[in-house]
Amino acid sequence: MTQDNFYSSNSQVFWTCKALLDGRTISHKTEIREVRGWRLGAIIHRLRHHYDWPIQAEYRGPQNVAHYSLKADMDRATLRFPQSARALGNSGAAQ
């Protein structure tokens, strides 16, 4: 059995990667609204620790809600992509 979908579905991983590559700042609320996902923290953790994405977190509000974005000085060409988001790496730009 493969663990590819342990954290989330492929569409949520793709959405997260695309949103970050598009220069967006995303939160759990954004994920719920746009893709009805619920595992953004797990996806971010995996992108940071397994794929070495330079993701930064800003905690806002009294409940410290995490808002994630890519560091401004990151080099897209050096990013490694999860299987479900590899097309984003091949295109040279988020589509």
Side-chain angles (χ1 to χ4, degrees), residues 3-60:
Q3 295 295 320
D4 290 340
N5 291 329
F6 181 73
Y7 290 110
S8 62
S9 72
N10 286 337
S11 61
Q12 291 175 35
V13 173
F14 181 89
W15 174 86
T16 302
C17 292
K18 183 170 182 345
L20 292 171
L21 290 169
D22 286 347
R24 295 177 61 191
T25 298
I26 57 175
S27 69
H28 185 69
K29 187 174 181 180
T30 311
E31 182 192 27
I32 291 170
R33 183 178 56 246
E34 294 186 14
V35 292
R36 297 195 170 125
W38 57 277
R39 297 294 292 163
L40 183 60
I43 296 168
I44 294 295
H45 176 82
R46 190 162 188 148
L47 288 173
R48 278 180 173 162
H49 298 285
H50 295 275
Y51 294 96
D52 299 319
W53 280 44
I55 298 171
Q56 58 192 9
E58 177 186 350
Y59 297 92
R60 301 178 187 168

Side-chain angles (χ1 to χ4, degrees), residues 60-77:
R60 301 178 187 168
Q63 290 142 348
N64 285 328
V65 175
H67 290 74
Y68 303 103
S69 61
L70 282 175
K71 292 182 180 174
D73 62 347
M74 70 93 187
D75 180 8
R76 182 190 177 109

